[in-house]
Amino acid sequence: MSATATPNSTPPTGPTRSSMSGRAWALLLVLCGTIFLEGIDVAMLAVAVPSIRSDLELSTGTAAWVMSAYVLGYAGFTLLGGRAADLLGRRRMFLVWLAVFLVFSSLGGFATEGWMLIVARFVTGVAAAFMTPAAMSIITTSYEEGPQRNKALLVFAGTAAGGFSLGLVIGGLLTQLGWRWVFFAPVLLAGGILLAAVRLIPAEPRPVRTGGFDLGGAAAAAGAMLLLAYGIVRLEHGMNGWPLTLAAVTAGLLMAAVFVAVERRTASPLVRLGILRKAAMVRADLGALLFVGSFFGFQFVVTLYLQELRGWSSLQTAIALVVLGVDAVLAPTLTPRLVNRFGNARVIFGGFVLAIASYGLFLPVGMDWSYAAMFPTLILTGTAFALAYGPLTIAATDGVEEREQGLAGGLLATATQFGSAVGISAVTAVYGLAAAGGDGSPQSTLEAFRAALTVPVVMVVLGALITSFGLRTRPRTQENRQDTPQSPARTPAEAAH
């Protein structure tokens, strides 16, 4: 049924309608508000870290952990968060963890020591790990699979990119008032979203579980994700402390093996391993990991180039990069038309090809490049994000049964978080190695930036190769979908009645 249908109407036999009722749009805006909140939260803090470090007299390591703690919390618990939405209730998980996000963001604003900020950011990341998959699974179970759900997911994805891009500018402005506003501003937004969510997110029946909760699997999953995320974050240290980095990654892989063994033996697994046999979903998750990783790695290198080599202020840099947010405009307008005409696989592949071209254009960056010389890469990068990320989100949840939509969303969110960590850590490591081999002159620093810029290029080339296998797969039509046995989606209109 479409979101404009009544409870007693029958599924349409013709083409799926993409129109949505006012209540359906209101629900979507609330859910998009959370991903926007997450985007501006991360972006604003990235701009404010230098001021926080100076005001609280933090060491370089402590300042780095203020950023890394969020990634650890998010990446470590996203898989568990996605499954918890399926098993414990999507509405319940969304509201509870949005409230936790609100509380600990406010606590971060009152922090007077580095460890307080680190704890606040870690718990905020954990809250996002439960909140975001719940929001995505509410979308995928509330809007009919096809054009309507595609539109909802593309708006959701575009809002994420828009939040990050606008967050850079907003963070620069708020930091001028005082870095604590970077924590307090999201609290105000989260409070408004929470009030609207209580009213608009429909009640749902209590999920039926035939067995007990898989505590062993949950512990093993969280342990594996935390250790692997920690090892990835440590890659930015290069050869310094490599034994600890290697030990963390090895322990994470061993814990992942334990998790698989537990899931194979338990009667009620946290994660049904059979879901990993869905080739399209796995391709989408790997593609999202590589694409998001390349995007954040590129943005990180460009930020360093503009501020450290060119001497631009944080606000100037933020305004220069805001054009990346063109995705927020293109994702809900242009991308749905391209998906309807060419299918997800071709649009995703086109996004990767465009990203290869955009990053490649920036490889010969010079010491005195004008903004006009940088603009083509920035606008193409934002356009590539609009083409790839939203359709990857659709592909990662398409054809998954309703009872596992939270798990599918958790797998996608896990991939994107690991991607961002890999992208930033890899470019930092390459830049550090290249800079260490130079003479410290501006020209050698520029060469180090150029070396780091090869990382995003390699990541999108790999992503294009992986997603190209989907070009041979015939897109599922609406008739195909109706032949697939799965639980019908509960629309906002149905739930309201």
Side-chain angles (χ1 to χ4, degrees):
M1 295 183 187
S2 70
T4 56
T6 61
N8 296 322
S9 61
T10 57
T13 56
T16 304
R17 290 179 294 171
S18 60
S19 61
M20 294 190 288
S21 67
R23 185 176 180 85
W25 272 111
L27 172 62
L28 180 59
L29 290 177
V30 168
L31 298 173
C32 286
T34 60
I35 200 69
F36 181 82
L37 174 67
E38 178 195 330
I40 64 168
D41 179 77
V42 173
M44 289 193 303
L45 185 63
V47 175
V49 163
S51 297
I52 296 173
R53 176 184 175 184
S54 175
D55 187 36
L56 298 184
E57 298 181 350
L58 304 180
S59 66
T60 302
T62 301
W65 274 109
V66 170
M67 292 293 294
S68 299
Y70 182 89
V71 175
L72 278 179
Y74 202 145
F77 289 89
T78 303
L79 184 60
L80 179 59
R83 194 59 178 138
D86 292 329
L87 299 177
L88 303 178
R90 299 177 179 103
R91 184 179 191 272
R92 182 181 297 109
M93 289 293 97
F94 180 86
L95 295 177
V96 168
W97 289 100
L98 177 56
V100 173
F101 188 100
L102 184 156
V103 170
F104 277 85
S105 184
S106 64
L107 290 178
F110 290 110
T112 57
E113 300 286 343
W115 67 267
M116 296 179 183
L117 276 177
I118 292 172
V119 171
R121 292 304 295 167
F122 178 80
V123 179
T124 302
V126 174
F130 282 82
M131 178 179 69
T132 304
M136 185 179 296
S137 62
I138 290 172
I139 290 177
T140 55
T141 56
S142 296
Y143 300 88
E144 183 186 5
E145 186 174 7
Q148 191 178 91
R149 184 188 295 178
N150 291 352
K151 177 186 289 187
L153 288 173
L154 289 169
V155 171
F156 188 75
T159 306
F164 183 81
S165 300
L166 291 177
L168 293 172
V169 179
I170 296 171
L173 294 172
L174 289 177
T175 303
Q176 302 297 317
L177 299 175
W179 63 263
R180 296 184 187 277
W181 279 104
V182 168
F183 290 89
F184 293 145
V187 171
L188 300 176
L189 178 57
I193 294 171
L194 182 60
L195 292 175
V198 170
R199 180 177 179 83
L200 288 170
I201 297 180
E204 57 186 347
R206 183 178 294 273
V208 178
R209 288 191 283 119
T210 57
F213 192 78
D214 182 14
L215 291 177
M225 296 298 101
L226 280 169
L227 287 166
L228 289 172
Y230 177 70
I232 290 171
V233 168
R234 282 193 57 83
L235 286 175
E236 63 189 52
H237 297 289
M239 298 303 293
N240 296 325
W242 68 265
L244 182 56
T245 302
L246 183 61
V249 173
T250 302
L253 292 174
L254 290 175
M255 189 64 73
V258 171
F259 170 72
V260 172
V262 170
E263 298 307 277
R264 283 179 172 174
R265 288 170 172 77
T266 185
S268 303
L270 179 73
V271 176
R272 184 180 65 85
L273 298 179
I275 196 173
L276 300 179
R277 297 192 186 100
K278 294 181 178 292
M281 186 195 75
V282 173
R283 277 197 306 270
D285 288 342
L286 289 175
L289 186 154
L290 291 165
F291 191 88
V292 172
S294 69
F295 179 83
F296 278 96
F298 173 76
Q299 181 268 332
F300 185 72
V301 174
V302 172
T303 300
L304 289 179
Y305 163 75
L306 293 177
Q307 293 190 15
E308 295 190 357
L309 193 62
R310 302 294 299 277
W312 291 24
S313 69
S314 58
L315 184 57
Q316 286 175 314
T317 301
I319 294 174
L321 296 181
V322 75
V323 68
L324 293 173
V326 68
D327 169 77
V329 177
L330 297 180
T333 55
L334 174 64
T335 308
R337 297 179 182 180
L338 295 177
V339 168
N340 289 337
R341 180 170 182 178
F342 301 106
N344 274 327
R346 289 180 175 84
V347 177
I348 291 169
F349 184 73
F352 272 98
V353 171
L354 194 59
I356 293 171
S358 65
Y359 298 150
L361 284 174
F362 211 81
L363 284 176
V365 61
M367 190 74 69
D368 55 355
W369 266 26
S370 65
Y371 184 68
M374 305 176 206
F375 187 81
T377 287
L378 299 178
I379 193 70
L380 287 177
T381 298
T383 305
F385 201 103
L387 295 180
Y389 186 67
L392 283 169
T393 303
I394 297 170
T397 56
D398 192 34
V400 178
E401 293 186 13
E402 180 179 345
R403 62 188 176 87
E404 292 185 322
Q405 282 292 334
L407 173 59
L411 289 169
L412 176 64
T414 299
T416 57
Q417 284 303 306
F418 270 92
S420 64
V422 169
I424 294 174
S425 298
V427 297
T428 303
V430 171
Y431 171 76
L433 289 173
D439 57 10
S441 66
Q443 185 60 40
S444 67
T445 302
L446 178 63
E447 293 299 328
F449 282 126
R450 288 174 177 168
L453 285 168
T454 61
V455 173
V457 175
V458 171
M459 294 184 78
V460 287
V461 168
L462 288 175
L465 179 62
I466 291 172
T467 57
S468 67
F469 289 100
L471 297 176
R472 299 179 297 180
T473 304
R474 184 172 63 90
R476 295 198 311 141
T477 63
Q478 180 64 20
E479 290 74 15
N480 295 145
R481 293 188 182 100
Q482 291 175 355
D483 293 338
T484 303
Q486 57 179 324
S487 302
R490 298 179 71 251
T491 69
E494 290 177 308
H497 288 271

